[in-house]
Amino acid sequence: MDRKGILLDLRNEGKLKGLKPCFVNLRPNMGKIYNGGSGTFIMTIRDNTLYFQKLSFFLHRLIPSDDFSVNAKRFTEYGINKRTGLSILNLYDSEGRFLPIAYQTGLKETFSTEDNISRILKELEEKNGLKLEGVENGEENVESEGEGPNKEV
């Protein structure tokens, strides 16, 4: 069964906790937000809460005992590391903690995940003021050589 079929079944059964479902992978991380086991999760959002529901791809069912949620208001910045076939969304809080969320990209079946992650980020930007890492007041905080306040004359 493909991802679309899995989501359709979960929606029909009313088992998804939120909206904008995304297939993501998590591992225990140094960011100290998630310390559970590695695995595939369905990430959704509802009422400023990110829900992570553990998915068994082999059995095509959820494993509720491994589910967790995070208050999305805690995050202040995000960054995306793009690689071929994989991207990692890093959500940062003001205390230096972070949550790396890996997801597949570039395939027909991954389009909905990519689109929903983009929609989730837009929602968090509008509701919570989440900002792209290194961007202040809508302008990138990047200076080119020979430009900016330290420009040599």
Side-chain angles (χ1 to χ4, degrees):
M1 183 179 289
D2 64 351
R3 294 172 187 218
K4 196 173 189 177
I6 292 170
L7 276 182
L8 184 60
D9 286 349
L10 292 173
R11 279 189 177 127
N12 288 336
E13 295 170 8
K15 291 189 175 182
L16 291 178
K17 294 181 180 177
L19 306 170
K20 302 176 184 99
C22 312
F23 287 89
V24 300
N25 293 301
L26 298 177
R27 291 192 263 173
N29 68 75
M30 300 297 289
K32 299 181 182 176
I33 292 177
Y34 175 69
N35 294 314
S38 297
T40 300
F41 292 80
I42 296 177
M43 178 179 76
T44 56
I45 188 167
R46 175 168 288 181
D47 299 328
N48 259 327
T49 301
L50 291 172
Y51 294 98
F52 294 87
Q53 295 176 265
K54 181 114 184 219
L55 179 68
S56 168
F57 259 116
F58 298 111
L59 302 175
H60 304 292
R61 65 177 177 86
L62 296 174
I63 306 170
S65 60
D66 292 337
D67 293 355
F68 74 99
S69 61
V70 177
N71 185 342
K73 289 181 183 178
R74 80 181 286 172
F75 300 113
T76 57
E77 288 188 327
Y78 72 95
I80 299 177
N81 297 327
K82 294 182 179 183
R83 301 178 186 164
T84 303
L86 178 75
S87 288
I88 300 172
L89 167 64
N90 289 300
L91 296 172
Y92 302 97
D93 69 9
S94 59
E95 298 172 5
R97 296 183 182 130
F98 63 94
L99 178 63
I101 302 168
Y103 58 99
Q104 290 182 317
T105 60
L107 301 173
K108 183 180 175 185
E109 83 172 5
T110 63
F111 175 77
S112 65
T113 289
E114 295 174 64
D115 186 51
N116 284 338
I117 285 177
S118 193
R119 289 171 187 251
I120 288 171
L121 289 173
K122 185 173 181 166
E123 181 178 329
L124 295 177
E125 287 172 344
E126 292 172 358
K127 287 184 177 180
N128 303 342
L130 185 73
K131 293 186 180 353
L132 181 61
E133 182 180 33
V135 176
E136 294 179 20
N137 300 325
E139 295 181 18
E140 287 193 34
N141 191 14
V142 178
E143 295 179 4
S144 300
E145 196 172 285
E147 297 178 9
N150 298 326
K151 178 180 170 184
E152 292 183 26
V153 182

Short mmCIF file of all heavy atoms in Angstrom, two decimals, residues 5 10 17 22 25 28 34 46 50-51 53-54 80 91 99 103 112 117 126 138:
data_model
loop_
_atom_site.label_atom_id
_atom_site.label_comp_id
_atom_site.label_asym_id
_atom_site.label_seq_id
_atom_site.Cartn_x
_atom_site.Cartn_y
_atom_site.Cartn_z
N GLY A 5 -2.73 5.73 0.05
CA GLY A 5 -3.68 4.73 0.54
C GLY A 5 -3.69 4.64 2.05
O GLY A 5 -4.74 4.50 2.68
N LEU A 10 -6.46 5.94 7.19
CA LEU A 10 -6.42 6.57 8.51
C LEU A 10 -7.46 7.68 8.63
O LEU A 10 -8.08 7.85 9.68
CB LEU A 10 -5.02 7.12 8.79
CG LEU A 10 -3.93 6.06 8.98
CD1 LEU A 10 -2.56 6.70 9.09
CD2 LEU A 10 -4.21 5.20 10.21
N LYS A 17 -4.82 12.81 14.26
CA LYS A 17 -5.09 13.76 15.33
C LYS A 17 -5.16 15.21 14.85
O LYS A 17 -5.64 16.06 15.57
CB LYS A 17 -4.01 13.65 16.41
CG LYS A 17 -4.04 12.33 17.13
CD LYS A 17 -2.98 12.28 18.19
CE LYS A 17 -3.01 10.94 18.91
NZ LYS A 17 -1.94 10.84 19.91
N CYS A 22 1.90 14.69 7.13
CA CYS A 22 3.21 14.57 6.48
C CYS A 22 3.89 13.30 6.97
O CYS A 22 3.85 13.00 8.16
CB CYS A 22 4.11 15.74 6.87
SG CYS A 22 3.39 17.35 6.75
N ASN A 25 10.50 11.30 9.34
CA ASN A 25 11.33 10.37 10.10
C ASN A 25 12.01 11.13 11.23
O ASN A 25 12.51 12.24 11.03
CB ASN A 25 12.39 9.73 9.20
CG ASN A 25 11.77 8.83 8.17
OD1 ASN A 25 11.09 7.87 8.52
ND2 ASN A 25 11.95 9.14 6.90
N PRO A 28 16.37 10.00 17.85
CA PRO A 28 16.74 10.73 19.07
C PRO A 28 17.80 11.77 18.68
O PRO A 28 18.66 11.50 17.85
CB PRO A 28 17.35 9.66 19.97
CG PRO A 28 16.88 8.37 19.42
CD PRO A 28 16.62 8.58 17.96
N TYR A 34 13.11 15.54 21.24
CA TYR A 34 12.62 14.19 21.03
C TYR A 34 13.72 13.20 21.38
O TYR A 34 14.81 13.25 20.82
CB TYR A 34 12.19 13.98 19.57
CG TYR A 34 11.79 12.55 19.28
CD1 TYR A 34 10.64 12.01 19.83
CD2 TYR A 34 12.59 11.73 18.50
CE1 TYR A 34 10.28 10.70 19.60
CE2 TYR A 34 12.24 10.41 18.25
CZ TYR A 34 11.09 9.90 18.80
OH TYR A 34 10.74 8.60 18.57
N ARG A 46 -2.71 20.86 14.72
CA ARG A 46 -4.05 21.33 15.10
C ARG A 46 -3.90 22.18 16.37
O ARG A 46 -3.23 21.77 17.32
CB ARG A 46 -5.00 20.17 15.37
CG ARG A 46 -6.37 20.68 15.89
CD ARG A 46 -7.40 19.65 15.89
NE ARG A 46 -7.74 19.43 14.48
CZ ARG A 46 -8.65 18.58 14.07
NH1 ARG A 46 -9.31 17.88 14.94
NH2 ARG A 46 -8.89 18.44 12.80
N LEU A 50 1.87 20.28 17.30
CA LEU A 50 2.35 19.33 16.29
C LEU A 50 2.21 17.93 16.88
O LEU A 50 2.73 17.64 17.96
CB LEU A 50 3.82 19.58 15.95
CG LEU A 50 4.13 20.85 15.18
CD1 LEU A 50 5.64 21.06 15.08
CD2 LEU A 50 3.51 20.81 13.79
N TYR A 51 1.47 17.09 16.17
CA TYR A 51 1.26 15.71 16.60
C TYR A 51 2.14 14.80 15.76
O TYR A 51 2.21 14.93 14.54
CB TYR A 51 -0.20 15.30 16.42
CG TYR A 51 -1.15 16.05 17.32
CD1 TYR A 51 -1.85 17.15 16.86
CD2 TYR A 51 -1.33 15.66 18.64
CE1 TYR A 51 -2.71 17.84 17.69
CE2 TYR A 51 -2.18 16.35 19.48
CZ TYR A 51 -2.86 17.44 19.00
OH TYR A 51 -3.70 18.13 19.83
N GLN A 53 2.46 10.81 15.11
CA GLN A 53 1.86 9.50 15.31
C GLN A 53 2.75 8.46 14.64
O GLN A 53 2.96 8.50 13.43
CB GLN A 53 0.45 9.46 14.73
CG GLN A 53 -0.51 10.40 15.47
CD GLN A 53 -1.87 10.43 14.83
OE1 GLN A 53 -2.15 11.29 14.01
NE2 GLN A 53 -2.72 9.47 15.18
N LYS A 54 3.29 7.55 15.45
CA LYS A 54 4.22 6.54 14.94
C LYS A 54 3.49 5.59 14.00
O LYS A 54 2.39 5.13 14.29
CB LYS A 54 4.85 5.77 16.09
CG LYS A 54 5.83 4.71 15.65
CD LYS A 54 7.21 5.03 16.08
CE LYS A 54 8.19 4.02 15.54
NZ LYS A 54 9.22 3.69 16.48
N ILE A 80 15.88 24.74 6.83
CA ILE A 80 15.69 23.53 6.03
C ILE A 80 17.00 23.20 5.32
O ILE A 80 17.55 24.04 4.61
CB ILE A 80 14.56 23.71 5.00
CG1 ILE A 80 13.24 23.99 5.70
CG2 ILE A 80 14.44 22.46 4.13
CD1 ILE A 80 12.08 24.26 4.78
N LEU A 91 13.46 22.74 13.65
CA LEU A 91 12.68 23.73 14.39
C LEU A 91 13.45 24.06 15.67
O LEU A 91 13.82 23.16 16.42
CB LEU A 91 11.30 23.16 14.75
CG LEU A 91 10.39 22.85 13.56
CD1 LEU A 91 9.14 22.12 14.04
CD2 LEU A 91 10.02 24.13 12.82
N LEU A 99 14.44 20.46 16.99
CA LEU A 99 13.82 19.20 16.57
C LEU A 99 14.08 19.01 15.08
O LEU A 99 13.54 19.75 14.26
CB LEU A 99 12.31 19.24 16.84
CG LEU A 99 11.50 18.02 16.41
CD1 LEU A 99 11.95 16.78 17.17
CD2 LEU A 99 10.02 18.27 16.66
N TYR A 103 12.36 14.32 5.93
CA TYR A 103 11.29 13.87 5.04
C TYR A 103 11.83 13.71 3.62
O TYR A 103 12.73 14.41 3.20
CB TYR A 103 10.09 14.83 5.08
CG TYR A 103 10.41 16.26 4.71
CD1 TYR A 103 10.16 16.74 3.43
CD2 TYR A 103 10.94 17.14 5.64
CE1 TYR A 103 10.43 18.05 3.09
CE2 TYR A 103 11.22 18.46 5.31
CZ TYR A 103 10.95 18.90 4.04
OH TYR A 103 11.23 20.21 3.70
N SER A 112 2.75 15.51 -1.50
CA SER A 112 1.80 15.96 -0.47
C SER A 112 2.52 16.27 0.85
O SER A 112 2.16 17.23 1.54
CB SER A 112 0.68 14.94 -0.26
OG SER A 112 1.19 13.75 0.26
N ILE A 117 4.16 20.33 4.64
CA ILE A 117 5.19 20.92 5.50
C ILE A 117 5.28 22.42 5.21
O ILE A 117 5.36 23.24 6.12
CB ILE A 117 6.55 20.21 5.34
CG1 ILE A 117 6.49 18.87 6.07
CG2 ILE A 117 7.69 21.08 5.87
CD1 ILE A 117 7.71 18.02 5.98
N GLU A 126 2.55 32.79 10.37
CA GLU A 126 1.45 33.74 10.53
C GLU A 126 0.93 33.79 11.97
O GLU A 126 0.69 34.87 12.50
CB GLU A 126 0.30 33.38 9.58
CG GLU A 126 0.64 33.60 8.13
CD GLU A 126 -0.42 33.07 7.17
OE1 GLU A 126 -1.43 32.48 7.62
OE2 GLU A 126 -0.22 33.23 5.95
N GLY A 138 11.86 40.07 7.54
CA GLY A 138 11.57 39.73 6.15
C GLY A 138 12.75 39.86 5.20
O GLY A 138 12.62 39.62 4.02
#
